[in-house]
Amino acid sequence: MHYDNISEIPVFNLLKIHGSVTWEMHNGNINFSNLGIVESVNHEISKLSLIDIKKLNDDKWKSDNRNLDIKEIVDEIDKMNPKPNVDDFINSYEKLQIVNPTKDKFRDTTFNKNYYELLRLFANELEKENTVLYVMGFSMADEHIREITIRAIKSNPTLKIFLVSYTESADDIISNFLDDLVDIKSFPNVEFICPEDGFNLRKFNDYLLFPLRDSIVEYNKTNG
C-alpha cells in the first residue's frame, strides 16, 4: 500500500444471466438446490406420452434434407388421440428459476432483482479496461444482451470481443446486429472466429485452446 502497488488474482466470472436449473426460489430468495427440481420435471415427463420431435426432425433431414417446420410439428400433435394432460408438468417446470426465450423474459430480467443484478454485473465487466469476451453458441438474438454488448463495443475501445460462429458465413449473428442498425464487422475490437461450417466447442478447443495450453506447458518446461 505504501508504494501503491496492486497484486491482483486473475479470475473468471461465471454469470448465469438466464438463470440456472440448479436454482430454487425460497421465501423470495434464490438458493442453490442441486438438481432436485430437474428431477421433479423429469419425473413428470416420464408419466407422459410425448412426440419425439428430435427423431421426427432427424428423419425429415434424412429423407428431404431439411428440418421440420412449425406447421408439420403441429400436424403431428393433432394426430395424437387423446392428447396428454401436461398441467402437472407445466406446474413443475415453472418452478425452474430460468428465463425462457419468450417476450416475458424482458419482464423477468428487468423487474426481477436477481436477473437484473446479473445483467448489471455483465455490463460492468464489459466496461472494464482490457476485457476479453468470447461468445459461443449464441447468435446475439437476445435483444437485451445484444444492446448491452453494443453499448460496450462503442464505449470501450480496449474491449475485445471474439464471436465464435457455427457457420463460416456467420449470417445469423451479422443479421441480428443489423436489427439494431449495427454493422458489427465494422468495429475493430470485434473479431469473428469461424474457419469452417460446423465449428463447435470441440473444434474450438482443438484449434485454439489446446495448442495454447500446450505452448504454455512447453514454455514453463523450457524456462523452469
Side-chain angles (χ1 to χ4, degrees):
M1 293 296 293
H2 180 72
Y3 296 102
D4 293 329
N5 292 329
I6 298 176
S7 178
E8 296 182 347
I9 300 175
V11 298
F12 284 90
N13 294 296
L14 176 61
L15 306 179
K16 296 185 177 182
I17 294 175
H18 281 164
S20 173
V21 294
T22 61
W23 290 355
E24 179 181 25
M25 183 69 73
H26 182 69
N27 293 332
N29 296 314
I30 291 181
N31 300 325
F32 180 75
S33 68
N34 291 314
L35 295 173
I37 299 179
V38 175
E39 292 172 358
S40 173
V41 173
N42 285 335
H43 175 69
E44 296 299 334
I45 291 176
S46 67
K47 297 190 296 184
L48 298 172
S49 177
L50 301 174
I51 293 176
D52 189 342
I53 295 178
K54 181 181 182 303
K55 181 179 184 307
L56 290 174
N57 191 67
D58 290 343
D59 292 341
K60 175 61 68 174
W61 186 267
K62 290 178 181 179
S63 62
D64 299 346
N65 198 31
R66 69 174 180 84
N67 291 317
L68 286 171
D69 59 34
I70 295 298
K71 183 180 182 304
E72 289 171 323
I73 295 175
V74 172
D75 289 342
E76 290 295 328
I77 295 173
D78 288 338
K79 295 177 184 177
M80 299 181 69
N81 188 22
K83 292 183 174 60
N85 186 329
V86 296
D87 290 345
D88 290 340
F89 162 73
I90 293 175
N91 290 334
S92 181
Y93 177 83
E94 288 182 344
K95 294 178 182 177
L96 292 171
Q97 296 305 303
I98 58 176
V99 179
N100 292 293
T102 67
K103 289 302 179 182
D104 283 342
K105 68 187 177 186
F106 295 107
R107 180 192 63 196
D108 293 336
T109 54
T110 302
F111 297 108
N112 185 303
K113 65 177 182 179
N114 298 287
Y115 298 140
Y116 179 79
E117 285 298 313
L118 288 173
L119 288 172
R120 185 181 62 82
L121 286 171
F122 174 65
N124 288 345
E125 289 299 321
L126 294 186
E127 293 172 0
K128 292 182 179 179
E129 187 176 359
N130 295 323
T131 294
V132 178
L133 173 67
Y134 283 91
V135 180
M136 173 177 288
F138 180 54
S139 66
M140 285 291 174
D142 186 305
E143 299 97 323
H144 209 174
I145 295 178
R146 187 174 67 238
E147 178 186 358
I148 294 173
T149 306
I150 290 173
R151 187 164 61 244
I153 291 171
K154 291 181 176 180
S155 63
N156 184 1
T158 69
L159 170 67
K160 187 69 176 182
I161 295 183
F162 294 95
L163 297 174
V164 182
S165 173
Y166 184 74
T167 62
E168 188 173 358
S169 63
D171 288 340
D172 54 342
I173 300 177
I174 295 171
S175 175
N176 287 328
F177 276 104
L178 287 175
D179 287 343
D180 290 327
L181 304 180
V182 172
D183 179 7
I184 195 60
K185 284 196 168 184
S186 66
F187 290 90
N189 54 344
V190 177
E191 287 189 28
F192 281 83
I193 301 178
C194 42
E196 61 186 45
D197 285 338
F199 191 67
N200 54 23
L201 179 59
R202 185 184 297 274
K203 292 182 179 179
F204 180 82
N205 288 335
D206 289 341
Y207 292 177
L208 298 173
L209 295 188
F210 289 162
L212 177 61
R213 176 202 60 189
D214 295 340
S215 67
I216 293 174
V217 171
E218 185 62 30
Y219 177 83
N220 290 335
K221 287 181 179 178
T222 303
N223 295 275

